[in-house]
Every structure is written in C-alpha cells, then in structure tokens.
Amino acid sequence: QSVLTQPPSASGTPGQRVTISCSGSSSNIGLNHVYWYRQLPGTAPKVLIYRNNQRSSGVPARFSASKSGTSASLAISGLRSEDEADYYCAAWDDSLNWVFGGGTKVTVL
Amino acid sequence: QVTLRESGPARVKPTQTLTLTCTFSGFSLDTSGMSVSWIRQPPGKALEWLALIDWEDDAYYCPSLETRLTISRDTSKNQVVLTMTNVDPMDTATYYCARTLTEDDAFDAWGQGTMVTVSS
C-alpha cells in the first residue's frame, strides 16, 4: 500500500480535461515538493512535473500541476490519445525516504 | 549524455541474497548534491523507492525494507550496488536505478530496469 494516495484510474474523451489527485501528509507533501512521473507500458518512468508545478523540458503546456497543503493534483487539458499512460506522484518524506503514490492509469476513451 | 544501466541476475531463489549493480555515465556521484536511488516495480503494481546513496556517501532506506537492504557505491567504477538479503517471491519486480541532481529533486534520469524473478 502506497504512502501517497491516488485514484487508480481516470479517463476522458479527446479534448477533455482530466485531473489526478495525490494525497499525502504533513511529513511529505505538506513539507516538500511534489513530483509527477509518466510511465508508458514497458518503459521506465519519466519526470513530467518537478517542484510542484514546473514542467520538465519538452512537456507541453497542456500538463499543469499544483499543490495545496498535503495534497497535489495533475491536470491534463486537451486530452490526446498519446496521454494514455500511468501517472505517479512522489515526494520526499521527512522520515528520510521517498514515497510514491499508487499510480493512476489514464485512459482516453 | 547521462545514462544508467542496471545489471544483475534474472532469477534468484527464495532466502538468497540479491545483488544489483547500477553502472552510470555522464555524471559523477562526487558532485555536490548528487544521488542515485534504487526503485522497484512489481508486475502490474506501483513504484516503490528502496534506497538512496548520495555524494557524501550517506545512505537512506525504505523503512519497511531497511533491515534487508544495503546500498554502496564505487566512484572509481561509476557504480552503485544494492544488496537485498533473504529474498521472497514478493520481491519479484523490475528494479530501476535513477539519479537526482540535488536534495529534494526529481529522478531526472532512469535506467531501463532489470527484471528479477524470485522463485524456487
């Protein structure tokens, strides 16, 4: 069971906006940055968002993220078929370890 | 160009010790703030961070696995080694190594992963 809580799935039709939540605690998200990773089947994850809301190089502006208190969210607007992937949130925990969310599978209907 | 590559046995038996090596290039683990982590992913399941070693040779571990893990580095070979004792079928997973540039920073470079199956 993952320390950070994400919905297992999210879906939308092309062009729609999809939001993924990530809930943590005062020892991780509440104190430290949140990172978002995207993982395509059979490949290693890649960083999508770093330090709460900064898009990694090459990530389109359709991807945005925010953090408030002990929760964070990732939004994908203008959903496209190539956005189908697993998305993970992560944060450093003050018990001196990284924690990940359980992952959210995004499906484009 | 930054690259990381994991290597190790594809199969180990229960109760044995698993040793994985991450060989990297394009950066130095002696650089201030740099660290290399091991992260695993059981088939069809979520990512789980295992351990980290940093530029000061400090090591940090997943609390639930700390008693079974040891992470070390060989800066002359640009390698980071993870050992896991007393493996169990639940340790079957793809094991990744990944880099962070500074403290509380993203895993900005990952290896391709190595699949390890624990089975008798």
Side-chain angles (χ1 to χ4, degrees), chain B residues 2 6 65 75 88:
Chain B
V2 173
E6 305 87 351
L65 293 168
T75 50
D88 177 89

Side-chain angles (χ1 to χ4, degrees), chain B residues 57-70:
Chain B
D57 206 23
D58 288 329
Y60 304 88
Y61 296 98
C62 171
S64 62
L65 293 168
E66 184 167 9
T67 59
R68 298 173 51 209
L69 298 175
T70 302

Side-chain angles (χ1 to χ4, degrees), chain B:
Chain B
Q1 181 187 4
V2 173
T3 64
L4 301 98
R5 185 182 77 251
E6 305 87 351
S7 58
R11 185 177 294 271
V12 291
K13 296 182 186 303
T15 75
Q16 288 186 336
T17 294
L18 170 65
T19 299
L20 296 170
T21 300
C22 175
T23 303
F24 57 87
S25 64
F27 67 96
S28 171
L29 200 41
D30 284 331
T31 301
S32 176
M34 199 76 70
S35 68
V36 171
S37 285
W38 282 95
I39 298 157
R40 71 179 179 181
Q41 185 172 37
K45 296 190 176 181
L47 301 168
E48 179 182 31
W49 178 82
L50 300 176
L52 170 158
I53 191 162
D54 68 12
W55 63 287
E56 295 181 301
D57 206 23
D58 288 329
Y60 304 88
Y61 296 98
C62 171
S64 62
L65 293 168
E66 184 167 9
T67 59
R68 298 173 51 209
L69 298 175
T70 302
I71 191 169
S72 61
R73 64 177 192 168
D74 185 333
T75 50
S76 66
K77 295 182 179 179
N78 280 351
Q79 291 182 334
V80 171
V81 176
L82 180 75
T83 61
M84 177 183 290
T85 61
N86 193 27
V87 296
D88 177 89
M90 291 191 63
D91 296 314
T92 294
T94 297
Y95 288 76
Y96 298 99
C97 58
R99 177 189 82 159
T100 52
L101 286 171
T102 65
E103 289 182 10
D104 191 11
D105 204 348
F107 299 110
D108 72 321
W110 296 65
Q112 64 185 15
T114 187
M115 177 66 193
V116 178
T117 300
V118 180
S119 172
S120 54

